[in-house]
Amino acid sequence: MGRGRGRPRIEKRLEDIIEVAAAHFCQRGFAEATLEDIALELGMTRPALYHYAASKEELLMKCCDWSFEQYIEKTQNLFVEKLNGKEILKKFFLIYSELVCDDVGRCFISLSARRREAANQASPGKQMRAVNSTLSQILDQGIADGSLAGCVDKKATIAALFGAFNSLPTIIKPKSKSAGAMGARLLSVFLDGLAPGQ
Amino acid sequence: MGRGRGRPRIEKRLEDIIEVAAAHFCQRGFAEATLEDIALELGMTRPALYHYAASKEELLMKCCDWSFEQYIEKTQNLFVEKLNGKEILKKFFLIYSELVCDDVGRCFISLSARRREAANQASPGKQMRAVNSTLSQILDQGIADGSLAGCVDKKATIAALFGAFNSLPTIIKPKSKSAGAMGARLLSVFLDGLAPGQ
DNA sequence: AATTTATGTGACTATAGAGTCAATTAATTA
DNA sequence: TAATTAATTGACTCTATAGTCACATAAATT
């Protein structure tokens, strides 16, 4: 059934493959995921995958790069409307929550940077630093405009926020529509604080 | 060199093995870790490991169980001195920070519950629920005695706290002595909140 | 010293899964 | 309709590593 190149957009197939592969990598881990299973779910056989990626590692890289591109695309307009830091923070983590609950979206975040560094050289570190730096900017802005507390421990805050939000997929079921809502609740925990009011 | 059973405590060897195996499992992941490497680091050969665990999966289970026992041991006296909820919270996360930065200590937390459930039946879920429930109790107590804010979103708070603290080993280098200190900084982020004071 | 038991080794087998390749099919183009 | 090209397959190879087993060695026990 359906071989040959009959599909309108040729690149579309690669995206399908990335989507399925990313899901397998994220859910089962890189080593545990098998190309056999990925191919099966796509309705093709394993060797066909080698037309789209020269190796399992390269497939992983493509997943992560695609994932990162999505992140960039969704976050690049954060600063265009002139919101205050706190509002940008909310927007950022709404986007981040939805991204991290999506198999493709969270790919570059979840998959061990160690393995990716083996394959690729630089990008994993660079990508994570880019994400970190966006949050850092947001905090700076919030502190400057007074919408966030002035005395925040930035390093600890960044670590705590990403730690918490990266754990989202373990607390809500995958493909759940509640990613954004749960993300908002998480952020409230950080904004309000646990100390008794006043 | 040094075969036979000359050592004072016989169980000691199993503990050594667990320590090394746990480190490999945590740092490289279960599938990527090899029994060969573990045996090598212990100065023995792979088949010898099968005297202590019948399979790789069973070795994983022993690591996780041992890890959980350590957790229990260190947290069981949390409620004996009559501290307020906030103080107990601090003590809890000081212990937790050190635990989670130690390869053995974090074993049952870090390693995919999916794989563990395949081997074992019930325990992974039970263990995580036990940890969760301890924190839940601490929060309840703090809310009751007024040392923590009354209107906390418990589910979100628990998720955020564990998410943040579980990420500790990714932000400080392993075996670092600063686990407790960094843990304290993380907790401050949660206690103080990001909203501007008053 | 002889026996038993815990501990360990070298040399195997078995298997899963990655990667290769020549042959095949289908769409595109001429 | 013939030639070209993209996409796919079945049938391989190769390798890493888990697991087995008969045998060896050293300590403890008698």
Side-chain angles (χ1 to χ4, degrees), chain B residues 71 74-75 89-106 109-110 131 161-162 164-188 190:
Chain B
Y71 164 82
K74 295 193 175 178
T75 57
L89 188 68
K90 285 182 183 173
K91 280 188 75 173
F92 176 80
F93 275 113
L94 175 62
I95 294 168
Y96 196 84
S97 297
E98 281 164 358
L99 215 63
V100 92
C101 287
D102 172 78
D103 286 322
V104 179
R106 78 174 166 185
I109 292 164
S110 300
V131 180
L161 282 166
F162 281 127
F165 280 88
N166 289 346
S167 77
L168 258 182
T170 70
I171 50 180
I172 66 176
K173 36 198 164 311
K175 302 282 174 186
S176 163
K177 279 291 155 211
S178 58
M182 191 68 213
R185 288 171 64 189
L186 282 187
L187 190 56
S188 290
F190 283 94

Side-chain angles (χ1 to χ4, degrees), chain B:
Chain B
M1 43 189 88
R3 289 177 211 112
R5 76 153 196 243
R7 283 153 207 89
R9 284 161 63 217
I10 314 179
E11 294 295 300
K12 182 66 175 69
R13 197 77 212 262
L14 179 58
E15 286 179 28
D16 290 345
I17 291 171
I18 285 176
E19 204 153 327
V20 170
H24 281 247
F25 289 153
C26 282
Q27 287 166 18
R28 311 181 38 175
F30 178 75
E32 286 92 340
T34 79
L35 296 181
E36 191 76 44
D37 290 344
I38 292 167
L40 187 72
E41 187 171 330
L42 286 158
M44 58 166 90
T45 58
R46 197 167 48 79
L49 289 175
Y50 287 86
H51 269 272
Y52 301 92
S55 69
K56 193 183 180 184
E57 299 254 4
E58 192 182 304
L59 184 56
L60 173 69
M61 272 178 43
K62 289 194 173 175
C63 289
C64 292
D65 288 348
W66 177 247
S67 176
F68 186 65
E69 276 168 38
Q70 284 191 217
Y71 164 82
I72 291 294
E73 190 185 320
K74 295 193 175 178
T75 57
Q76 65 190 348
N77 314 324
L78 270 178
F79 296 90
V80 294
E81 326 169 45
K82 282 294 179 192
L83 301 169
N84 70 26
K86 184 174 167 181
E87 292 306 317
I88 299 180
L89 188 68
K90 285 182 183 173
K91 280 188 75 173
F92 176 80
F93 275 113
L94 175 62
I95 294 168
Y96 196 84
S97 297
E98 281 164 358
L99 215 63
V100 92
C101 287
D102 172 78
D103 286 322
V104 179
R106 78 174 166 185
C107 207
F108 82 97
I109 292 164
S110 300
L111 291 168
S112 145
R114 190 177 296 93
R115 151 85 20 58
R116 292 165 60 201
E117 254 147 24
N120 210 340
Q121 257 85 310
S123 26
K126 236 183 243 172
Q127 292 172 351
M128 293 315 283
R129 252 174 282 131
V131 180
N132 250 28
S133 135
T134 301
L135 178 52
S136 179
Q137 273 177 255
I138 295 172
L139 292 180
D140 284 341
Q141 175 161 341
I143 293 165
D145 67 28
S147 60
L148 297 175
C151 54
V152 299
D153 177 339
K154 265 183 65 186
K155 183 182 171 184
T157 300
I158 291 172
L161 282 166
F162 281 127
F165 280 88
N166 289 346
S167 77
L168 258 182
T170 70
I171 50 180
I172 66 176
K173 36 198 164 311
K175 302 282 174 186
S176 163
K177 279 291 155 211
S178 58
M182 191 68 213
R185 288 171 64 189
L186 282 187
L187 190 56
S188 290
V189 172
F190 283 94
L191 288 171
D192 299 345
L194 299 178
Q198 196 159 32

Side-chain angles (χ1 to χ4, degrees), chain A residues 69-140:
Chain A
E69 278 169 37
Q70 283 190 220
Y71 164 81
I72 291 294
E73 189 185 323
K74 295 194 174 177
T75 57
Q76 65 191 350
N77 314 326
L78 269 178
F79 296 89
V80 294
E81 327 169 45
K82 282 294 179 192
L83 301 170
N84 69 26
K86 183 174 169 181
E87 291 306 316
I88 299 180
L89 188 69
K90 284 183 183 172
K91 280 187 75 173
F92 176 80
F93 275 113
L94 177 62
I95 294 168
Y96 196 84
S97 297
E98 281 164 358
L99 215 63
V100 92
C101 287
D102 172 77
D103 286 322
V104 179
R106 77 174 166 185
C107 208
F108 82 97
I109 293 163
S110 300
L111 290 168
S112 146
R114 191 176 296 93
R115 153 83 22 58
R116 291 165 61 201
E117 255 148 22
N120 210 338
Q121 259 84 308
S123 27
K126 238 183 243 171
Q127 292 171 352
M128 292 315 283
R129 252 173 282 132
V131 179
N132 251 28
S133 134
T134 302
L135 179 51
S136 179
Q137 273 178 256
I138 296 173
L139 292 180
D140 284 340

